[in-house]
Amino acid sequence: MFWAGGDPAQTIAELTSLGIRSGQLGIPGDLPLSCAPQWRDALRAANFRIHTVFAAYKGESYADVPTVQRTVGFIPPATRAEREQRTLGVSDFAAVIGAPGIATHIGFVPESQSDPDYIAVRDMVRRVCDHAASHNQTFALETGQEPARVLMAFLNDVARPNLGINFDPANMILYGTGDPIEALGILAPKVITVHCKDGDWPPAGVAGALGKEKALGAGSVGIPRFLAKLREVGYRGPLSIEREASDPARRMVDIRSAIALIADLKA
Ligand code: MG
C-alpha cells in the first residue's frame, strides 16, 4: 500500500527494487487527479499492477478516536458532498489506470439505521457503488472503526453486489473494536482485499486513545494466525503490506522484513 504524490516512475521503481510487482495506490486528498495518464504510463512501463485505488480526503486526521469521528470519511456532514465528488473522481482515475477496484475509510458508521447520518452515508455509498460499477469496479470499505456485525449489517443494507471490504486486522486492534481473526470469520464473504498490518491495543484507561501501529509481526495481530485464517476462509487475493511509520528509512526496513515474514509463512 503506497501513495501517489511523488514521481510515478520513481515511486514504482522503489517498490520493484523490493521485489514487489503489484499493490494498492493511495490518492491524497489534495492530489490533482489529472495525473492519472502519467500513472497509467509508468505502471505499464514497469508491468506493475494496481489492485485498488484508495481515496483519502482533505482535512482528515487520525490523531485519536474523537478526531477520527469528526474528520474521517463520509460521516462529517460539512464535507460530504465534496468528498462524494472526489470519490467519483478517484473511481474515474482508477478506470484510467485500469485498476479493478476503489476503496476508502468511510468513517464511523452509526449503529442506528434510523440515524440521519446513517441514512445519508448509506445512500452515498450506493451512489459511489453505482458509479464504480459503471467502470466494472468494486468498492471496498476499510475495516476497523466498527464491530464486524455492524459493518456486515451496513453492507447488507446498502445492498450493492460490487460493495465489499478491505480487511485490515491491525485497525480492529488500534480502535479496540474486537478480535480481528474472529471478525475475519464473520466478514470473509465480503472481503475483496486485505492489509497486512500490525499493531497493539489502545492503552487501558485513556478515553479515546488509539493503539499503536507496529512493524508486521511485532504487534498483537498474530500474523501467522491471520494468514492461516485467510487461507481457511478461502481468501486467494493479494496480501498488501501497509506500514504507516513516518520515518521513510524505517518504513523501507520494516517493509523488507514484512515481505520476508510473509514469504516464510507462505512457504
Ligand atoms: Mg489499512
Side-chain angles (χ1 to χ4, degrees):
M1 166 75 199
F2 63 105
W3 290 87
D7 175 69
Q10 209 178 319
T11 307
I12 297 163
E14 206 173 56
L15 296 164
T16 52
S17 76
L18 296 167
I20 295 168
R21 300 181 312 270
S22 68
Q24 297 179 303
L25 178 62
I27 306 293
D30 55 0
L31 186 81
L33 296 175
S34 54
C35 66
Q38 283 98 287
W39 274 99
R40 176 197 59 209
D41 296 346
L43 289 162
R44 246 180 226 167
N47 197 19
F48 194 94
R49 219 151 62 87
I50 298 297
H51 305 291
T52 318
V53 179
F54 262 85
Y57 308 100
K58 274 187 277 188
E60 290 185 315
S61 165
Y62 289 85
D64 54 25
V65 173
T67 310
V68 171
Q69 270 166 336
R70 208 177 59 245
T71 67
V72 168
F74 294 180
I75 304 296
T79 49
R80 210 173 270 154
E82 164 197 323
R83 289 180 180 181
E84 179 170 346
Q85 286 316 304
R86 177 73 181 178
T87 313
L88 304 187
V90 167
S91 167
D92 297 340
F93 180 109
V96 171
I97 69 164
I102 59 166
T104 197
H105 278 265
I106 60 167
F108 281 90
V109 177
E111 288 206 27
S112 162
Q113 300 199 350
S114 54
D115 186 310
D117 287 329
Y118 176 98
I119 294 166
V121 169
R122 181 200 61 200
D123 293 350
M124 181 167 162
V125 170
R126 283 178 179 160
R127 292 191 295 272
V128 172
C129 283
D130 294 344
H131 186 90
S134 76
H135 291 309
N136 286 316
Q137 294 161 354
T138 53
F139 178 36
L141 311 182
E142 171 93 354
T143 55
Q145 291 144 7
E146 50 282 305
R149 60 174 178 80
V150 175
L151 187 57
M152 201 59 172
F154 180 76
L155 292 172
N156 288 332
D157 193 23
V158 173
R160 289 295 186 272
N162 63 332
L163 181 65
I165 288 169
N166 182 80
F167 188 87
D168 185 325
N171 286 352
M172 315 239 20
I173 289 177
L174 299 178
Y175 288 87
T177 316
D179 176 56
I181 309 305
E182 203 183 307
L184 180 56
I186 299 168
L187 297 171
K190 299 286 188 185
V191 172
I192 299 172
T193 44
V194 302
H195 281 164
C196 293
K197 188 171 88 181
D198 215 338
D200 284 334
W201 295 93
V206 187
L210 285 164
K212 198 170 163 22
E213 196 229 353
K214 289 288 184 72
L216 201 71
S220 305
V221 168
I223 302 305
R225 69 175 189 140
F226 176 54
L227 293 192
K229 186 72 180 180
L230 283 172
R231 176 170 279 273
E232 182 200 312
V233 300
Y235 179 80
R236 298 292 182 268
L239 300 169
S240 298
I241 296 162
E242 182 179 33
R243 180 66 172 121
E244 295 167 356
S246 50
D247 171 21
R250 176 80 257 162
R251 195 170 169 264
M252 288 306 273
V253 168
D254 289 348
I255 290 173
R256 249 177 230 287
S257 67
I259 293 168
L261 173 64
I262 292 172
D264 260 13
L265 291 170
K266 281 173 74 180

